[in-house]
């Protein structure tokens, strides 16, 4: 029988069980940035999923960027079926020079789409004073207005389309080219010099960082409440 004294424990246990939803338990992920287009950009990104508050926290530390320029950042992902929201995720990859379809020596944003997929979540634009930045933002996974692609298939997505997060890719953009290549081709590198805001400069495949199992987290949470009740 559940008494008034044991109700808080039962309530906490139930809330912890409910936390194991489509986003699983509280999890941490990482992506190590790979340089694209000889940009020299390096760094890493960390991701924290809170299934109780239904939020995704993102931190990015990047260096080797063009100083004082704006750099776009997105989470990309391949989606199976007809590529629309709700279809199964496909594991995304970091593109290589082999994906340079027009042979101009650069992997442009559309050339990378078959590898890293369409934009699912726009992380925003970050200026890089001195060529580096530290970025931090938290996103509401239930706010569908945050999810969608301004390029690619021009699709509307939802938070669950990021699942599994290990199948997704972070991409950073923004590089100046001298205009010596690409004349007569489509894409960002078209024979004109200047800053190409959407040209990819780094990408990283996301992987999960091992954490205590959900069972351990549940036991710790319940033990903490029991201890508090005893002290009362």
């Amino acid at each position: 029988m559940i008494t008034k004294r044991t109700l808080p424990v039962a309530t906490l246990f139930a809330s912890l069980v409910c936390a194991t939803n489509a986003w699983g338990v509280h999890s941490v992920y990482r992506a190590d940035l790979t340089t694209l287009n000889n940009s020299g950009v390096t760094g890493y990104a960390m991701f924290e999923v809170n299934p109780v508050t239904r939020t995704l926290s993102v931190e990015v530390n990047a260096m080797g960027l063009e100083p004082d320029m704006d750099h776009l950042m997105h989470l990309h992902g391949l989606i199976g079926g007809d590529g629309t929201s709700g279809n199964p995720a496909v594991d995304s990859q970091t593109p290589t020079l082999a994906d340079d379809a027009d042979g101009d020596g650069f992997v442009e944003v559309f050339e990378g789409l078959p590898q890293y997929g369409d934009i699912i979540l726009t992380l925003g634009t970050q200026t890089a004073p001195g060529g580096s930045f530290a970025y931090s933002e938290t996103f509401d996974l239930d706010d569908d207005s945050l999810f969608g692609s301004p390029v690619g298939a021009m699709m509307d997505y939802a938070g669950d389309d990021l699942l599994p997060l290990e199948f997704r890719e972070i991409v950073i953009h923004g590089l100046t080219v001298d205009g010596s290549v690409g004349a007569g081709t489509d894409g960002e590198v078209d024979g004109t010099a200047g800053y190409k805001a959407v040209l990819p400069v780094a990408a990283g495949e996301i992987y999960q960082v091992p954490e205590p199992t959900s069972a351990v987290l549940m036991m710790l949470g319940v033990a903490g409440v029991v201890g508090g009740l005893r002290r009362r």
Side-chain angles (χ1 to χ4, degrees), residues 87-124:
N87 278 272
V90 177
D91 196 5
S92 303
Q93 307 292 326
T94 299
T96 68
L97 194 58
D99 299 297
D100 174 23
D102 60 12
D104 58 16
F106 292 85
V107 179
E108 294 156 303
V109 64
F110 280 99
E111 292 173 334
L113 289 181
Q115 295 296 331
Y116 49 57
D118 201 5
I119 295 171
I120 298 177
L121 174 63
T122 297
L123 300 180

Side-chain angles (χ1 to χ4, degrees), residues 33-144:
L33 297 176
T34 297
T35 296
L36 295 178
N37 294 319
N38 295 314
S39 67
V41 176
T42 59
Y44 66 92
M46 299 296 297
F47 308 87
E48 185 176 5
V49 173
N50 187 325
V52 177
T53 60
R54 293 276 297 173
T55 55
L56 170 67
S57 296
V58 182
E59 293 186 7
V60 183
N61 287 272
M63 60 197 74
L65 298 134
E66 294 224 15
D68 306 315
M69 300 301 289
D70 290 337
H71 295 274
L72 303 170
M73 293 186 293
H74 307 97
L75 291 187
H76 289 247
L78 292 168
I79 297 179
D82 60 1
T84 61
S85 179
N87 278 272
V90 177
D91 196 5
S92 303
Q93 307 292 326
T94 299
T96 68
L97 194 58
D99 299 297
D100 174 23
D102 60 12
D104 58 16
F106 292 85
V107 179
E108 294 156 303
V109 64
F110 280 99
E111 292 173 334
L113 289 181
Q115 295 296 331
Y116 49 57
D118 201 5
I119 295 171
I120 298 177
L121 174 63
T122 297
L123 300 180
T125 302
Q126 191 72 21
T127 304
S132 64
F133 66 72
Y135 163 95
S136 178
E137 190 61 74
T138 298
F139 299 89
D140 181 355
L141 294 169
D142 292 319
D143 184 355
D144 289 347

Side-chain angles (χ1 to χ4, degrees), residues 1 20 51 69 90 107 166 176 195 217 223-224:
M1 181 175 68
T20 309
M69 300 301 289
V90 177
V107 179
E166 299 96 314
T176 295
Y195 185 71
L217 292 174

